[in-house]
Amino acid sequence: MAKVKTRFFCQSCGQESPRWLGKCPGCGEWNTLVEEVVERAAAKRTPLGVKATPLTEIQIREEERVSSGSQELNRVLGGGIVPGSFVLLGGEPGIGKSTLLLQTAGLLAKGMDVLYISGEESEKQIKLRAERLGIKESRLHILTETRLEVVRDVALAMGPGLLIVDSIQTMVLEELQAAAGSVSQVREGAAFLMRLAKEEEIPIFLVGHVTKEGAIAGPRVLEHIVDTVLYFEGDRHHVYRLLRAVKNRFGSTNEIGVFEMHEDGLVEVPNPSKVFLGENSATAPGSSVAVIVEGSRPLLVEIQALVTPTTYGPPRRTATGIDYNRILMLLAVLDKKVGLHLGAQDVFINIAGGIRIDEPGVDLACIAAIASSLGERPLKRYALVGEVGLTGEVRGISQIEKRVKEAVKLGFEGCIIPRINVSAVKVPGNFTVIAVKTVEEAVQVMFEQ
């Protein structure tokens, strides 16, 4: 009898090792390597007669997208669901992944058959959630199954317009001897479903668990296999959720969808600027408003700053919703170029509403909020847009006209923008646009009476 071959695989990154190691050499995680049986398939020769097709002879046709019934989901997907697409949805436990997909299934089931596969919940549990969400469609079919071979047979017999698998970590291929959730099961299971999606042109949505670092659990090849990777983000203590695409073969990766969690499910937020701006008080020191762009959507967000004298030891620097190192750079610019000495002050920065911003266009708003809190002086009711460089200059940014229009729509008195962008803005008659070249000039303008 031949000896069974085994290898060790990291459950976090999929790194392969011939022996067990306490620390994964790939990702550095501890105690993540598990032993799995490895069966090498016999080598197969490529069939004779296979030829490559010249590019000029390939026929293409425009894919007709299917509306998901949700404008926010359509926006993130690039306009709707593409037939045969393979979509992976990740997010923290309890954030609302299953709720989002069950609501989508309910909307699509009004016009087509939808198959919802659950490996984590019973049919009764799903029925209870569907009743809470008000879903009573007879064309929505529920199957509690973990064997992918059975899932394929049911899908082929039914021919659904959408297949949802919740979650990929619970699915198993019976031909593999590894446990559910192992690297080999997740990798081969995803490849199995991908072939089903492409061959039968059935759009498939997968739910993926995430690790404590926020990445989708399992081998990285999982994200390479799928067409689209979506992350459902948000704080469970906040009611707002963001749906963000980090990979999309059929559209932009910069779009976001905004939802509000209610007792009866997720509700779309058509005007996110009002949500993130909240009850912004123009008379409160330490509060400023920045205009950011996510994909094609401009958003107004409130930047909050609190500057207090340091009581013990070195001053504290805390940033929530924005890059910590970016804040340290802006504090250095304020100290060197404007003369606002913050070496003996604690500085706290927060992006209201639970959103996270990576765009440098919020630099000017952050500086305004810090200066306002330090001097206990409120800012004008102006929106601020601009990137700040190390030499103290205010650098230009993209899509300036779209940002200014959003500030006009939300009722702001004016907008402070980089001087290099002023020629690209058409200013309404009752709206003030102030162009600045340096941080020092911007700070002076902010506090003019």
Side-chain angles (χ1 to χ4, degrees), residues 367-436:
I367 278 182
I370 294 169
S372 172
S373 180
L374 178 65
E376 285 295 324
R377 300 171 64 185
L379 298 167
K380 295 180 179 180
R381 187 168 169 74
Y382 282 10
L384 297 106
V385 181
E387 178 185 355
V388 173
L390 286 176
T391 59
E393 82 279 15
V394 179
R395 303 174 64 86
I397 56 171
S398 62
Q399 306 185 64
I400 187 66
E401 187 172 5
K402 184 178 293 186
R403 299 172 194 253
V404 172
K405 286 182 179 179
E406 185 71 8
V408 172
K409 187 172 70 174
L410 268 290
F412 280 77
E413 299 173 4
C415 188
I416 300 176
I417 67 173
R419 183 171 297 176
I420 195 173
N421 288 128
V422 70
S423 60
V425 179
K426 296 178 181 179
V427 184
N430 57 346
F431 190 79
T432 303
V433 172
I434 301 176
V436 295

Side-chain angles (χ1 to χ4, degrees), residues 131-149:
E131 289 183 347
R132 176 171 58 85
L133 300 176
I135 300 173
K136 300 179 180 179
E137 305 301 328
S138 60
R139 301 187 71 177
L140 173 56
H141 304 270
I142 309 298
L143 175 65
T144 56
E145 182 59 65
T146 59
R147 293 169 296 174
L148 285 173
E149 292 87 352

Side-chain angles (χ1 to χ4, degrees), residues 276-277 279-281 287-289 300-304 350-352:
F276 297 129
L277 201 56
E279 298 296 329
N280 172 258
S281 176
S287 175
S288 67
V289 176
L300 270 70
V301 295
E302 181 184 0
I303 312 293
Q304 298 174 339
N350 176 54
I351 309 299

Side-chain angles (χ1 to χ4, degrees), residues 75-96:
R75 175 192 294 271
V76 178
L77 291 174
I81 301 173
V82 177
S85 60
F86 198 31
V87 181
L88 175 63
L89 174 64
E92 295 181 355
I95 204 69

Side-chain angles (χ1 to χ4, degrees), residues 126-308:
I126 299 173
K127 173 68 174 179
L128 289 173
R129 187 192 300 134
E131 289 183 347
R132 176 171 58 85
L133 300 176
I135 300 173
K136 300 179 180 179
E137 305 301 328
S138 60
R139 301 187 71 177
L140 173 56
H141 304 270
I142 309 298
L143 175 65
T144 56
E145 182 59 65
T146 59
R147 293 169 296 174
L148 285 173
E149 292 87 352
V150 176
V151 171
R152 178 195 56 195
D153 293 343
V154 174
L156 291 176
M158 180 183 297
L162 177 67
L163 172 62
I164 297 172
V165 178
D166 186 5
S167 64
I168 185 59
Q169 278 82 8
T170 62
M171 298 294 124
V172 295
L173 283 169
E174 293 183 312
E175 63 186 34
L176 298 179
Q177 299 182 17
S182 63
V183 171
S184 57
Q185 284 286 7
V186 171
R187 180 183 63 243
E188 298 302 327
F192 182 89
L193 290 171
M194 185 266 292
R195 290 191 295 272
L196 176 64
K198 302 305 179 184
E199 292 172 2
E200 304 298 327
E201 290 199 342
I202 300 174
I204 298 179
F205 279 70
L206 299 181
V207 174
H209 296 164
V210 297
T211 63
K212 60 183 179 181
E213 289 80 17
I216 294 179
R220 296 297 296 183
V221 70
L222 177 61
E223 297 185 38
H224 292 291
I225 290 175
V226 300
D227 297 316
T228 305
V229 180
L230 306 179
Y231 275 91
F232 209 34
E233 305 172 353
D235 190 337
R236 282 181 292 174
H237 304 293
H238 286 78
V239 296
Y240 299 108
R241 304 285 189 268
L242 300 182
L243 183 64
R244 189 185 303 272
V246 297
K247 173 187 176 182
N248 192 355
R249 290 173 178 160
F250 307 113
S252 171
T253 57
N254 296 321
E255 298 288 357
I256 65 168
V258 185
F259 298 86
E260 185 175 359
M261 179 64 81
H262 290 184
E263 290 185 358
D264 54 351
L266 292 162
V267 178
E268 298 179 46
V269 179
N271 191 349
S273 291
K274 289 185 177 180
V275 169
F276 297 129
L277 201 56
E279 298 296 329
N280 172 258
S281 176
T283 61
S287 175
S288 67
V289 176
V291 189
I292 64 174
V293 173
E294 291 283 354
S296 61
R297 166 181 284 178
L299 301 175
L300 270 70
V301 295
E302 181 184 0
I303 312 293
Q304 298 174 339
L306 179 63
V307 179
T308 60

Side-chain angles (χ1 to χ4, degrees), residues 24-87:
C24 173
C27 63
E29 292 292 322
W30 288 90
N31 298 322
T32 57
L33 268 70
V34 296
E35 187 177 16
E36 296 184 15
V37 176
V38 177
E39 294 182 1
R40 302 295 184 187
K44 296 181 180 180
R45 295 185 60 187
T46 303
L48 298 177
V50 175
K51 296 193 306 180
T53 305
L55 179 65
T56 54
E57 297 181 9
I58 298 176
Q59 302 294 323
I60 61 173
R61 59 184 176 87
E62 187 67 25
E63 294 287 353
E64 294 185 3
R65 295 176 183 260
V66 178
S67 174
S68 66
S70 167
Q71 294 299 321
E72 296 297 299
L73 180 56
N74 287 343
R75 175 192 294 271
V76 178
L77 291 174
I81 301 173
V82 177
S85 60
F86 198 31
V87 181

